[in-house]
């Protein structure tokens, strides 16, 4: 059975392979189990898998799964990660039986969001009650989501990529490329992040104000509003932070954009915070940072990114740059930007290990997955790197163990926590 560990997708140019990277519970030595899906089911995946997400079904007994998406309808499958058996095929689960190819599938506790390659966006509510979800018993509508002005979604930032194995939420954030605006998705509704979301917090002054990086102001640029970003191309969008602040009854999440100005090609980092207000407040956002990417950092649409929460005060977005050999950490709470590692070969995949849980405030037993970063490179190397607070503060991130894949280069990965309500 596959317990704690990383599901890692590798690609040999002909097929994609679903592998499993886990640790020996006695020695802590990491083990790479190659082609785990094929070994369990005989199923092969096409080259070019574009999305992988962790999914826990609140049902008894609990079901822990991995959702995949990529070329062709048969790529959008979900498998139970304890035995690699297939639960269903998202792309074929439509009310009219026609099906749609998906490039990303993001399952949440109450609903599933999915994007087609052309930017069409689909939502479906999960069947069952809050504590008795029925896997793959519901269907997508025959038509994509439609809102005023239309929408085309190519970027998603969700709690599910940050969250723990108990605290769920009903929100996903996405970017509408057609109209240059941020969206919040809840169950089967889509809402534009507009001025009604603004909090009266310390960042209120940044609305329409000069650029800011946490220390310095930039007189020649002004903060964009999340609903009016049409002057920029989105190179990447991600989310980082805690999906539940247990003591404050509030989910705090940072949405980070890597933007390119359409008129001159200059690149920027733009970040805002979202809080759902907990039990006693109301949802809102605060603008955090908008500043030029330093001249010694070069990113493009091929740059990889992943979220991170290491320690109590870090909302970190990790990304590759400079020919995808350098890995940087952007702190969405302080604005700091630091290089933490340089790979020998271009980075093709990034994924964090265990990212806290809602009981972290009361302490917990460290695991072999805390403060770990898995990095895949173009030459087929897979690295397990220690990423602690010292490394994020400017120290050196150390390689703990490395593997040479026989199934191609790593392209995607997701961490799967222990199969218990609280890990």
């Amino acid at each position: 059975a596959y317990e704690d560990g990383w599901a890692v997708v590798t690609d040999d140019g002909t097929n994609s392979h679903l592998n499993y990277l886990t640790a020996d519970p006695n020695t802590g030595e990491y083990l790479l189990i190659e082609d785990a899906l094929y070994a369990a089911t005989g199923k092969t995946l096409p080259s070019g898998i574009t999305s992988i997400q962790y999914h826990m079904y609140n049902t008894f007994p609990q079901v822990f799964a991995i959702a995949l998406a990529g070329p062709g309808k048969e790529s959008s499958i979900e498998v139970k990660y304890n035995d690699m058996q297939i639960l269903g095929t998202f792309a074929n689960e439509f009310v009219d039986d026609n099906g749609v190819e998906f490039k990303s599938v993001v399952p949440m506790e109450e609903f599933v969001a999915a994007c087609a390659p052309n930017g069409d966006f689909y939502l479906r509510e999960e069947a069952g009650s809050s504590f008795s979800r029925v896997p793959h018993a519901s269907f997508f509508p025959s038509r994509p989501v439609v809102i005023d002005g239309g929408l085309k979604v190519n970027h998603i930032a969700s709690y599910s990529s940050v969250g723990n194995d108990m605290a769920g939420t009903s929100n996903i954030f996405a970017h509408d490329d057609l109209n240059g605006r941020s969206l919040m998705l809840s169950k089967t509704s889509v809402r534009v992040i507009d001025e009604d979301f603004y909090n009266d917090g310390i960042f209120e002054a940044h609305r329409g104000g000069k650029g800011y990086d946490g220390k310095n102001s930039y007189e020649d640029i002004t903060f964009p509003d999340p609903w009016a970003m049409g002057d920029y191309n989105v190179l990447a969008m991600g989310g980082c932070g805690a999906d539940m602040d247990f003591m404050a009854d509030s989910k705090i999440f940072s949405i980070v954009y890597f933007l390119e100005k359409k008129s001159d090609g200059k690149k920027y980092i733009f970040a805002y915070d979202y809080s759902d207000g907990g039990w006693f407040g109301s949802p809102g956002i605060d603008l955090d940072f908008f500043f030029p990417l330093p001249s010694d950092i070069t990113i493009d649409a091929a740059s990889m990114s992943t979220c991170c929460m290491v320690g109590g005060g870090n909302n970190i977005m990790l990304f590759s740059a400079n020919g995808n050999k350098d890995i940087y950490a952007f702190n969405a709470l302080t604005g700091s930007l630091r290089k933490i590692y340089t790979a020998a070969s271009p980075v093709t995949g990034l994924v964090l290990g265990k990212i806290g849980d809602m009981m972290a405030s009361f302490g917990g037993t460290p695991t072999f997955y805390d403060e770990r970063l898995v990095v895949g490179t173009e030459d087929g190397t897979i690295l397990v790197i220690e990423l602690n607070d010292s490394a994020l503060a400017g120290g050196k991130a150390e390689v703990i163990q490395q593997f040479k894949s026989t199934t191609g280069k790593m392209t995607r990965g997701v961490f799967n926590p222990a199969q218990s309500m609280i890990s």
Side-chain angles (χ1 to χ4, degrees):
Y2 303 96
E3 299 289 340
D4 295 30
W6 295 270
V8 174
V9 176
T10 54
D11 196 314
D12 62 16
T14 302
N15 293 106
S16 293
H17 306 266
L18 186 59
N19 316 280
Y20 217 79
L21 177 58
T22 188
D24 184 304
N26 297 312
T27 67
E29 180 182 5
Y30 293 95
L31 310 169
L32 179 63
I33 304 168
E34 295 191 296
D35 244 352
L37 176 63
Y38 182 79
T41 66
K43 182 175 178 61
T44 59
L45 297 169
S47 175
I49 292 295
T50 50
S51 174
I52 183 171
Q53 293 278 353
Y54 162 73
H55 189 193
M56 184 194 76
Y57 287 92
N58 277 337
T59 187
F60 294 99
Q62 286 180 287
V63 175
F64 301 83
I66 305 162
L68 297 159
K73 296 178 184 178
E74 297 305 314
S75 296
S76 300
I77 62 172
E78 187 164 58
V79 301
K80 293 186 294 180
Y81 73 72
N82 66 315
D83 60 9
M84 291 289 161
Q85 296 301 305
I86 297 172
L87 281 170
T89 304
F90 289 107
N92 291 332
E93 295 166 352
F94 278 74
V95 294
D96 59 4
D97 294 327
N98 286 332
V100 171
E101 177 183 329
F102 289 139
K103 70 174 183 179
S104 62
V105 174
V106 182
M108 305 296 282
E109 180 183 346
E110 299 178 313
F111 69 100
V112 176
C115 293
N118 65 356
D120 284 348
F121 191 69
Y122 295 83
L123 288 172
R124 82 174 187 200
E125 191 168 359
E126 291 283 68
S129 63
S130 296
F131 293 99
S132 185
R133 298 293 174 191
V134 183
H136 294 267
S138 59
F139 296 89
F140 290 100
S142 58
R143 295 183 179 180
V145 173
V146 177
I147 63 173
D148 289 345
L151 79 165
K152 292 292 181 183
V153 173
N154 291 297
H155 303 277
I156 294 179
S158 74
Y159 284 114
S160 68
S161 62
V162 181
N164 55 57
D165 51 339
M166 182 172 179
T169 183
S170 57
N171 299 325
I172 291 177
F173 294 84
H175 185 77
D176 171 18
D177 286 305
L178 182 64
N179 299 284
R181 55 189 180 179
S182 287
L183 308 171
M184 187 178 78
L185 321 171
S186 300
K187 285 191 177 180
T188 55
S189 66
V190 177
R191 182 177 174 185
V192 176
I193 299 290
D194 57 22
E195 56 189 349
D196 291 339
F197 274 87
Y198 275 120
N199 287 330
D200 295 323
I202 60 174
F203 297 112
E204 184 74 11
H206 292 324
R207 291 183 58 189
K210 303 303 180 184
Y212 181 67
D213 65 4
K215 293 182 179 180
N216 306 303
S217 295
Y218 294 80
E219 297 298 322
D220 57 339
I221 58 175
T222 58
F223 268 80
D225 284 309
W227 68 88
M229 300 166 63
D231 291 338
Y232 300 91
N233 294 315
V234 177
L235 298 177
M237 175 191 183
C240 56
D243 72 342
M244 178 172 283
D245 182 340
F246 184 65
M247 303 303 291
D249 288 325
S250 177
K251 303 176 182 70
I252 302 170
F253 192 60
S254 296
I255 293 88
V256 180
Y257 278 92
F258 295 90
L259 300 175
E260 180 183 55
K261 190 74 175 288
K262 291 179 180 178
S263 61
D264 57 18
K266 292 182 179 179
K267 296 178 175 65
Y268 302 87
I269 290 178
F270 172 52
Y272 62 87
D273 284 341
Y274 168 81
S275 172
D276 73 356
W279 290 348
F280 306 108
S282 58
I285 67 167
D286 282 319
L287 296 184
D288 286 349
F289 308 106
F290 181 63
F291 61 92
L293 199 66
S295 59
D296 60 344
I297 300 178
T298 302
I299 64 171
D300 54 34
S303 296
M304 306 296 299
S305 65
T306 189
C307 59
C308 175
M309 190 183 77
V310 182
N314 293 319
N315 283 29
I316 303 292
M317 179 65 67
L318 301 174
F319 65 95
S320 61
N322 303 335
N324 284 343
K325 287 190 174 183
D326 293 332
I327 300 175
Y328 285 83
F330 169 64
N331 190 317
L333 296 182
T334 67
S336 68
L337 191 60
R338 293 188 174 94
K339 183 165 66 174
I340 60 170
Y341 186 75
T342 298
S345 179
V347 172
T348 56
L350 289 172
V351 60
L352 263 294
K354 186 168 182 274
I355 312 176
D357 57 60
M358 68 179 292
M359 300 302 289
S361 300
F362 304 101
T365 303
T367 74
F368 298 118
Y369 307 99
D370 293 295
E371 302 182 344
R372 298 292 184 264
L373 172 67
V374 175
V375 177
T377 60
E378 185 70 40
D379 64 2
T381 301
I382 298 176
L383 307 164
V384 181
I385 295 174
E386 183 176 22
L387 185 67
N388 53 27
D389 286 330
S390 174
L392 292 172
K396 185 178 180 182
E398 300 286 348
V399 175
I400 299 172
Q401 200 169 331
Q402 67 181 48
F403 304 88
K404 194 71 171 183
S405 168
T406 65
T407 56
K409 62 186 179 184
M410 172 184 167
T411 58
R412 294 288 185 273
V414 67
F415 178 71
N416 303 303
Q419 297 188 28
S420 61
M421 286 295 284
I422 301 175
S423 62

